[in-house]
Amino acid sequence: AQKVTQAQTEISVVEKEDVTLDCVYETRDTTYYLFWYKQPPSGELVFLIRRNSFDEQNEISGRYSWNFQKSTSSFNFTITASQVVDSAVYFCALIGNNRKLIWGLGTSLAVNP
Amino acid sequence: EAQVTQNPRYLITVTGKKLTVTCSQNMNHEYMSWYRQDPGLGLRQIYYSMNVEVTDKGDVPEGYKVSRKEKRNFPLILESPSPNQTSLYFCASSSTSGGVDTQYFGPGTRLTVL
């Protein structure tokens, strides 16, 4: 069975701190895709990144970076120099051979001024 | 602008009164899906469609119907809504029929059934 675990339910930081959101996944598929989405207080779901299982390169996009490690089945997300606008719920998700998007329960990040 | 739209954004209704939530995408995507989001339960798939006239059940299809008569539209129908269908609903679309490409989401529809 496939599973995505986001062990951190809530995180609170002060602005300008770095913060890492953890994502651990389980799958027996050799080909799969991992995603991160952001859900701000306004409620919409915003796509952040998609990574396939054959690409373990870390990715950086501005203040956001992602660390994909197949050895530990993790796909962690780091926000550098956090800002109040980063306050949101962040979801990690996995899709494998069954074409079904499996979601973690999300991590609620509060960035305080 | 490439987008998924949903209407209405907010809806309060009463038990048993049929309703339809519309979903439309302008990206020529083959795959479309409906999810509901509930506290503590995360996002759960209701129905999905690989292409026109092809629909299938997700994890929680009971009490819902869908249709896919046109590629761009994928309405969600609640024939006889009940209070346990109070939820935040999202429509999503993806460019591949297998759904493995990135799913882009609509803004959400917050439904309250009294």
Side-chain angles (χ1 to χ4, degrees), chain A residues 50-63:
Chain A
R50 172 179 181 257
R51 174 67 74 210
N52 75 57
S53 53
F54 299 107
D55 183 2
E56 285 194 74
Q57 279 193 351
N58 292 334
E59 174 135 352
I60 298 174
S61 176
R63 296 184 297 106

Side-chain angles (χ1 to χ4, degrees), chain B residues 61-83:
Chain B
E62 295 78 21
Y64 305 94
K65 285 176 58 177
V66 293
S67 67
R68 187 92 181 271
K69 294 186 172 63
E70 307 164 280
K71 198 171 188 178
R72 64 183 293 129
N73 295 324
F74 190 44
L76 179 69
I77 303 157
L78 284 72
E79 295 264 358
S80 182
S82 61

Side-chain angles (χ1 to χ4, degrees), chain A residues 33 35 37 39 43-45 47 50 91 95 99-101 103 105, chain B residues 35 37 41-43 59 88 90 98-105:
Chain A
Y33 299 83
F35 302 83
Y37 285 86
Q39 187 174 37
E44 70 271 25
L45 282 163
F47 164 73
R50 172 179 181 257
F91 292 94
I95 195 165
R99 305 293 194 257
K100 182 181 168 67
L101 195 56
W103 295 84
L105 291 181
Chain B
Y35 295 86
Q37 185 181 25
L41 297 176
L43 282 121
D59 298 317
L88 178 58
F90 288 100
V100 295
D101 207 341
T102 301
Q103 292 189 29
Y104 295 94
F105 286 81

Side-chain angles (χ1 to χ4, degrees), chain A residues 23-36:
Chain A
C23 173
V24 174
Y25 63 91
E26 296 175 28
T27 181
R28 293 183 180 179
D29 297 337
T30 54
T31 302
Y32 52 90
Y33 299 83
L34 295 163
F35 302 83
W36 277 94

Side-chain angles (χ1 to χ4, degrees), chain B residues 15-43:
Chain B
T15 299
K17 187 176 180 182
K18 182 179 178 181
L19 66 93
T20 299
V21 183
T22 64
C23 172
S24 183
Q25 50 92 6
N26 62 1
M27 296 171 278
N28 202 35
H29 283 171
E30 294 174 347
Y31 181 93
M32 296 186 75
S33 181
W34 276 102
Y35 295 86
R36 61 178 288 174
Q37 185 181 25
D38 302 288
L41 297 176
L43 282 121

